[in-house]
DNA sequence: TCGCAGGGCCGGT
DNA sequence: ACCGGCCCTGCG
């Protein structure tokens, strides 16, 4: 059984709700529903949930100490999602200096005011929306970043070519976008592009690495990231997700 | 109540 | 490399 609750409603997606026994996710081109007790999934849902990932191998690789062990036991069958690129990137632009509850609210404001039929709006719609309108929806200082990045996505073939890039090339490309720094780039690399050894170092994950793993809090982002990547041997992203949920819910 | 902090990033120095 | 500022609001 997939841990749908913590996978869909945890920290890696902002577009799912739980209602009447089913999880409902809104995307730019479709609504996806998953029964809470589902044991089989259609092709599309399987792809999003990454059912073909070698879960037992991932777990056996990252089980390196008591902290991660506890986190895994606390959130059994937690998965990393594979989410559509543009919506993921745009949503995470809203995450900077924000909290999850409010990010979820803003994402819904954008859906309700700019989207149609309950869908998240197409990227070109966001690109054409006035900054003032975006600010009305609660985006704050991120409004111009959201619009500018949306404009770049609609006027280039970035969304297509990034799918064939290696990790470093993709990261550099992402960081060049307005409102996208190392953290948001890493979220996109992991939650959409499936680079499993990328660990988005937000305040929570940094706190874990400092408090539980003894890293120097003054370490630079890239150094801390490299440490985690080596320690968790290819699956730092998965380890980070367990630890993130663990520390946020303790 | 009130001040801090929230899945950071940008621009100036 | 470092640091102040930033929209807005949830939370203790």
């Amino acid at each position: 059984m997939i841990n749908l609750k913590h996978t869909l409603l945890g920290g890696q997606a902002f577009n799912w709700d739980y209602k009447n026994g089913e999880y409902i996710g809104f995307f730019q081109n479709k609504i996806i529903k998953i029964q809470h007790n589902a044991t089989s999934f259609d092709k599309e849902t399987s792809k999003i949930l990454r059912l073909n990932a070698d879960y037992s191998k991932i777990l056996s690789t990252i089980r390196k100490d008591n902290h991660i062990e506890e986190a895994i036991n606390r959130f059994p069958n937690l998965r990393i999602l594979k989410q559509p690129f543009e919506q993921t990137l745009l949503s995470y632009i809203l995450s900077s200096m924000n909290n999850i509850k409010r990010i979820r609210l803003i994402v819904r404001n954008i859906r309700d005011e700019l989207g149609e039929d309950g869908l998240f709006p197409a990227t070109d719609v966001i690109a054409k929306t006035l900054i003032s309108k975006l600010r009305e929806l609660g985006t704050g200082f991120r409004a111009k970043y959201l619009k500018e990045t949306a404009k770049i996505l609609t006027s280039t073939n970035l969304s297509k070519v990034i799918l064939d890039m290696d990790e470093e090339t993709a990261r550099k490309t992402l960081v060049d976008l307005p409102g996208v720094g190392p953290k948001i780039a890493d979220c996109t690399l992991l939650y959409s592009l499936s680079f499993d050894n990328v660990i988005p170092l937000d305040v929570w994950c940094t706190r874990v690495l400092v408090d539980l793993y003894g890293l120097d809090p003054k370490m630079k982002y890239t150094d801390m990231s490299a440490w985690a990547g080596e320690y968790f041997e290819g699956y730092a992203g998965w380890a980070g997700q367990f630890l993130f949920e663990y520390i946020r819910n303790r």
Side-chain angles (χ1 to χ4, degrees):
Chain A
M1 283 281 276
I2 303 287
N3 189 335
L4 294 173
K5 178 181 177 184
H6 292 106
T7 299
L8 299 175
L9 305 181
Q12 58 177 316
F14 307 109
N15 62 325
W16 290 89
D17 291 289
Y18 182 71
K19 191 178 177 185
N20 299 332
E22 64 181 2
Y23 294 88
I24 306 173
F26 55 91
F27 294 84
Q28 288 182 305
N29 58 346
K30 65 183 82 76
I31 304 284
I32 293 181
K33 299 182 178 183
I34 307 176
Q35 295 299 315
H36 76 93
N37 56 354
T39 51
S40 65
F41 307 90
D42 61 36
K43 189 176 176 184
E44 189 169 48
T45 306
S46 301
K47 186 180 172 188
I48 290 175
L49 293 173
R50 296 187 60 184
L51 293 187
N52 58 345
D54 193 341
Y55 199 63
S56 58
K57 178 189 174 188
I58 292 168
L59 287 197
S60 63
T61 304
I62 64 175
R63 280 185 201 278
K64 313 241 344 175
D65 57 75
N66 291 335
H67 304 307
I68 187 73
E69 184 72 36
E70 267 191 59
I72 291 171
N73 291 339
R74 178 87 187 276
F75 300 98
N77 297 310
L78 177 68
R79 314 284 293 209
I80 295 287
L81 296 168
K82 184 174 188 64
Q83 308 176 80
F85 174 71
E86 295 191 359
Q87 185 176 351
T88 302
L89 175 60
L90 295 172
S91 297
Y92 269 99
I93 286 175
L94 303 173
S95 76
S96 83
M97 204 63 223
N98 212 340
N99 58 65
I100 293 179
K101 187 167 185 179
R102 216 169 78 83
I103 298 164
R104 290 174 58 88
L105 174 65
I106 297 169
V107 165
R108 278 155 187 73
N109 288 344
I110 290 173
R111 175 196 65 184
D112 296 341
E113 291 293 319
L114 305 180
E116 295 177 356
D117 304 323
L119 299 172
F120 193 78
T123 304
D124 68 301
V125 172
I126 295 175
K128 289 174 189 161
T129 303
L130 293 174
I131 301 278
S132 56
K133 177 64 176 176
L134 293 175
R135 291 188 85 113
E136 278 178 29
L137 304 180
T139 57
F141 65 86
R142 311 161 194 85
K144 56 181 180 293
Y145 305 142
L146 181 67
K147 182 180 171 84
E148 288 307 308
T149 291
K151 280 167 73 174
I152 292 170
L153 291 179
T154 55
S155 63
T156 68
N157 61 348
L158 173 59
S159 300
K160 190 166 296 181
V161 297
I162 200 166
L163 301 177
D164 295 318
M165 291 180 184
D166 60 77
E167 183 184 315
E168 281 316 308
T169 309
R171 179 182 280 107
K172 282 179 187 164
T173 304
L174 290 169
V175 167
D176 279 340
L177 297 168
V180 181
K183 156 64 172 60
I184 290 172
D186 282 355
C187 287
T188 308
L189 291 174
L190 177 63
Y191 303 135
S192 175
L193 300 175
S194 303
F195 287 105
D196 290 326
N197 205 32
V198 172
I199 177 170
L201 292 176
D202 54 74
V203 292
W204 299 99
C205 274
T206 303
R207 205 167 287 167
V208 169
L209 293 181
V210 170
D211 292 352
L212 303 184
Y213 290 87
L215 269 61
D216 184 342
K218 294 195 295 289
M219 264 176 94
K220 287 187 298 185
Y221 188 99
T222 50
D223 294 334
M224 212 174 264
S225 178
W227 182 90
E230 285 186 31
Y231 184 72
F232 291 111
E233 299 184 77
Y235 298 105
W238 295 74
Q241 200 60 30
F242 281 105
L243 294 169
F244 174 82
E245 298 294 345
Y246 180 61
I247 195 167
R248 269 181 49 86
N249 291 287
R250 74 177 180 184

